[in-house]
Amino acid sequence: MINKITLIAGARPNFMKIAPIIHAIKKTQSINGITYRLIHTGQHFDEKMSETFFRQLNIPQPDVNLNCGGGSQAEQTASIMVAFEKELLEHPADLVLVVGDVTSTMACSIVAKKLQTKVAHVEAGIRSFDLSMPEEINRMVTDSITDYFFTTTILAGENLLKAGVSKDKIFFVGNVMIDTLLENRSKFVKPDFWDSLSLKKKNYFVLTLHRPANVDADEKLKELMDEIINNVGNFPILFPMHPRTAKVFQAIGIKADNLHIVAPLGYLEFNYLVENAMGVITDSGGITEETTVMGVPCITLRDTTERPETITMGTNELVGTNPKALKPFLDKLLSGNWKKGGIPEKWDGKAAERIIQILQEIN
C-alpha cells in the first residue's frame, strides 16, 4: 500500500510536471489517504527559473530545499545524492516519484533504490537515442531501476518493452505537463514588455536556446543568430535568455533592431508569449509539446528528439543544428504553409489523475 510519497523537483520543467500530481493527490486525499513530501533539490537556483513556478502554479513551497545548484554534471549529481540520502533516511517514504530527465531525476532514483524504496518515473520511456545528450543518459539510468513507469505515449511504452521492462509495470497515462498547460491556459499573463515593444498577436517569433551544440561555440551561435535575424522578414524576435546562453551571447555582441533580449519569464508570461506567437524557434523538448497543443508552428534546432509525436502529429519540425538548414523552414512558415497538426492521445489534462488512481491500486 502506498501512503507516503516523496516528490522530486529539481529544474524548471519539473515544476510543471509536479504541480498537477500535487493537485490530484489533494483532490482525492480524503479517500486515498496519500500524503506527500515535496523536495526541491535546488538544481536550478535562479528565482525566475524555479521559485516563481511554485507561486504561479499554485503548489506549496517545498518541505525542503537541498540547495544543490551549480557545479559540473558529476559534482551536481554527487551533491544531490548525498543530500537526498540524508533526507530520505530522516523521512522514509513508500515511493519516490521522479519526473522528466534532469540530473535530479537520475540522482534521486539511484538513492531511493539503494535505500530499498520504490521508484515511479513520470515521463518514462521517451528516447532520443542520442548519448551526447546528458538527459538521454539520465532517462536510461532512471528507467533501468524504476519500478513503475508512467508514459506520455504508446511509443514510449514500446521503448520500455524493447528494453525488457515488464508490461504490467508500464502505464500509459498521458502528459502531465499538458495537464498544467490546460489548467493554466486561461490564466496566461501578458509580459510587462508587451506594450512597450508594441507587440501584436501572431506578429512576432519566440526564440529559446540553451543546448551546448547551439550556444557553447561563439562562431556557431553567431552564425545561427544571423540566419534567424536575416530570415524572419523583420518580424520581432523575443528571446528570453537562459543564463547559460547569456554568458556566450554577451561576448559575441549580436544586435539587430528586431531582436529583443528579455530576462527569463515566469510560466504564465512565457506561455502567453508562445500562444500568441507567429512561430517558435527552440532547442527545448518541452516547448515542442506545448506548441503542439496550442497549435503554434515550432522549429526545433536539434539533430534528434525524444518527442517524435510533436513532429509526426504536432506542429513541430526538426531542423537540425546546421544554421543553413533553417531558411527553408522559415520561408514555409512566413508563406502561411505550415502544417496544422493534431494533439496526441491522452494529452487531455487528466494524466495526473490517472497516475494517482493507479498508485492507489498498487499493493
Side-chain angles (χ1 to χ4, degrees), residues 120-293:
H121 184 197
V122 174
E123 206 177 77
I126 65 172
R127 295 288 184 272
S128 67
F129 302 102
D130 179 1
L131 289 175
S132 70
M133 294 175 62
E135 296 94 337
E136 183 73 358
I137 296 167
N138 294 340
R139 289 188 284 262
M140 292 174 66
V141 172
T142 301
D143 283 342
S144 71
I145 56 176
T146 288
D147 296 283
Y148 309 112
F149 303 80
F150 296 106
T151 63
T152 58
T153 63
I154 291 173
L155 176 60
E158 292 173 351
N159 290 335
L160 292 169
L161 289 172
K162 289 175 183 176
V165 175
S166 174
K167 187 175 181 180
D168 64 350
K169 299 295 184 183
I170 302 170
F171 306 94
F172 173 33
V173 294
N175 193 329
V176 288
M177 195 159 79
I178 302 307
D179 288 11
T180 294
L181 182 74
L182 297 178
E183 172 69 21
N184 290 281
R185 197 170 183 179
S186 64
K187 306 171 192 172
F188 291 167
V189 177
K190 184 190 296 185
D192 292 340
F193 53 76
W194 181 274
D195 293 327
S196 62
L197 294 178
S198 300
L199 296 179
K200 297 177 182 177
K201 293 182 179 182
K202 304 302 177 183
N203 205 48
Y204 61 87
F205 285 86
V206 173
L207 172 65
T208 77
L209 295 172
H210 73 279
R211 293 192 180 276
N214 290 325
V215 304
D216 278 6
D218 291 10
E219 290 184 10
K220 174 68 176 294
L221 180 57
K222 187 176 188 311
E223 186 181 2
L224 187 56
M225 289 303 304
D226 285 343
E227 284 294 314
I228 294 170
I229 291 166
N230 294 332
N231 290 290
V232 295
N234 291 321
F235 285 103
I237 304 165
L238 278 298
F239 192 172
M241 192 167 283
H242 190 285
R244 177 187 184 90
T245 311
K247 296 177 184 178
V248 183
F249 204 86
Q250 289 169 2
I252 300 173
I254 294 174
K255 293 182 180 179
D257 290 342
N258 64 329
L259 177 63
H260 305 285
I261 309 300
V262 297
L265 297 169
Y267 179 81
L268 301 179
E269 292 84 359
F270 179 74
N271 277 294
Y272 181 97
L273 206 60
V274 169
E275 183 177 36
N276 292 294
M278 174 184 292
V280 174
I281 304 168
T282 187
D283 57 11
S284 165
I287 290 173
T288 67
E289 295 179 326
E290 292 167 330
T291 51
T292 281
V293 170

Side-chain angles (χ1 to χ4, degrees), residues 293-311:
V293 170
M294 291 190 283
V296 177
C298 184
I299 293 173
T300 297
L301 304 175
R302 289 168 54 181
D303 294 317
T304 59
T305 179
E306 65 283 358
R307 294 167 169 89
E309 64 279 0
T310 65
I311 298 167

